[in-house]
């Protein structure tokens, strides 16, 4: 399978715990995005990387959220001191950036439930 | 962020055509996209259109773009039960971010 892979598929945690998600993009893709999606809404941008550089973070992104892409390949998204409002589907997407016609390819997501 | 709006629900009979509509706000959008999401899954790219085009056809899918009115539509011909899903339109706005609509839930009645 050469698509975008996300692990775990589901995560249940207690409020206050830290969680970490992993995303493995399509191998030749240089951009990697994180989105959050809640029920009945479209994906909401969180942050993105070009190679290993984090180029942009959403102004809505709390300081409890941090993302890394250490070697420009896989990425991790960590949420510290989780809150119930963090419950959502976390989607990763990758692309091979070109100035026109960039196309995002999504993984199946990690569904987070904070109890 | 940018506003991308869609109607929430659409119901059609199997074999009929479906038309899903979207309006966006950023006139500098260069590409507009349609994605499909099935339950519990990520988003699958269906098709996209460059902003200097007004129509694109891809098998059963037809995309129409009215740039003046900032209106995008997706027509699915001969809709099948397997087309039941949530459909999102998306634009690339200034800052090179993708903005997604709230999604239209398509139900196909056998």
């Amino acid at each position: 399978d050469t698509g975008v892979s996300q692990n775990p598929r589901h995560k249940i945690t207690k409020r206050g715990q830290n969680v970490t998600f992993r995303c493995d993009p399509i191998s030749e893709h240089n951009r990697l995005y994180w989105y959050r999606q809640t029920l009945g809404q479209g994906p909401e941008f969180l942050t993105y990387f070009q190679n290993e550089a984090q180029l942009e973070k959403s102004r809505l992104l709390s300081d409890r959220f941090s993302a890394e892409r250490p070697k420009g390949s896989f990425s991790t998204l960590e949420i510290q001191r989780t809150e119930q409002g963090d419950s959502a589907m976390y989607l990763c997407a990758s692309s091979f950036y070109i100035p026109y016609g960039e196309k995002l390819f999504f993984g199946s997501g990690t569904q987070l439930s904070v109890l | 962020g940018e506003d991308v709006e869609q109607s929430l629900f659409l119901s059609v009979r199997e074999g009929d055509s479906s038309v899903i509509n979207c309006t966006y706000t950023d006139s500098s959008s260069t590409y507009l996209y349609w994605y499909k999401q099935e339950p519990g899954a990520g988003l699958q790219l269906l098709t996209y259109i460059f902003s200097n085009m007004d129509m694109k056809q891809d098998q059963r899918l037809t995309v129409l773009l009215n740039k003046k009115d900032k209106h995008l539509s997706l027509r699915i011909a001969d809709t099948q039960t397997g087309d039941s899903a949530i459909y999102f339109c998306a634009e690339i706005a200034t800052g090179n971010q993708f903005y997604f609509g709230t999604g239209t839930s398509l139900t196909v009645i056998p």
Side-chain angles (χ1 to χ4, degrees), chain B residues 3-110:
Chain B
D3 287 330
V4 181
E5 295 189 353
Q6 301 179 237
S7 53
L8 291 180
F9 302 101
L10 176 66
S11 182
V12 299
R13 293 205 173 273
E14 190 174 16
D16 288 349
S17 293
S18 309
V19 179
I20 302 170
N21 295 302
C22 169
T23 57
Y24 60 97
T25 56
D26 192 330
S27 57
S28 67
S29 295
T30 53
Y31 279 86
L32 296 119
Y33 303 78
W34 284 103
Y35 281 83
K36 175 184 181 183
Q37 186 176 34
E38 299 186 42
L43 278 71
Q44 173 195 355
L45 177 63
L46 286 179
T47 187
Y48 63 99
I49 187 167
F50 186 43
S51 59
N52 71 350
M53 299 171 63
D54 52 21
M55 187 181 91
K56 180 179 179 182
Q57 187 152 3
D58 185 359
Q59 298 182 329
R60 292 190 298 123
L61 305 179
T62 303
V63 180
L64 295 178
L65 175 60
N66 181 329
K67 197 173 180 183
K68 174 175 169 290
D69 293 340
K70 300 193 188 88
H71 183 265
L72 182 74
S73 68
L74 174 69
R75 178 177 179 268
I76 306 172
D78 187 25
T79 313
Q80 303 297 306
T81 54
D83 295 324
S84 292
I86 301 176
Y87 290 80
F88 293 93
C89 66
E91 60 168 349
I92 290 187
T94 50
N96 207 49
Q97 281 187 33
F98 281 72
Y99 288 96
F100 289 84
T102 51
T104 298
S105 178
L106 173 65
T107 300
V108 181
I109 303 165

Side-chain angles (χ1 to χ4, degrees), chain A residues 35-106:
Chain A
Y35 283 84
R36 176 171 59 193
Q37 185 179 25
T38 53
L39 199 62
Q41 298 296 317
E44 173 191 29
F45 170 78
L46 294 179
T47 188
Y48 85 95
F49 294 82
Q50 180 152 316
N51 301 313
E52 65 274 10
Q54 188 172 17
L55 295 190
E56 189 169 351
K57 291 197 296 185
S58 168
R59 288 168 293 176
L60 302 175
L61 199 60
S62 159
D63 290 345
R64 298 182 294 105
F65 287 68
S66 62
E68 293 183 341
R69 194 183 183 198
K71 296 181 181 178
S73 57
F74 74 92
S75 175
T76 57
L77 176 69
E78 182 183 17
I79 309 174
Q80 295 182 325
R81 305 181 302 283
T82 51
E83 301 173 357
Q84 287 183 325
D86 297 331
S87 295
M89 173 80 87
Y90 289 84
L91 294 166
C92 175
S94 70
S95 73
F96 184 78
Y97 174 69
I98 52 175
Y100 299 103
E102 182 181 3
K103 295 184 279 290
L104 296 189
F105 293 86
F106 282 83

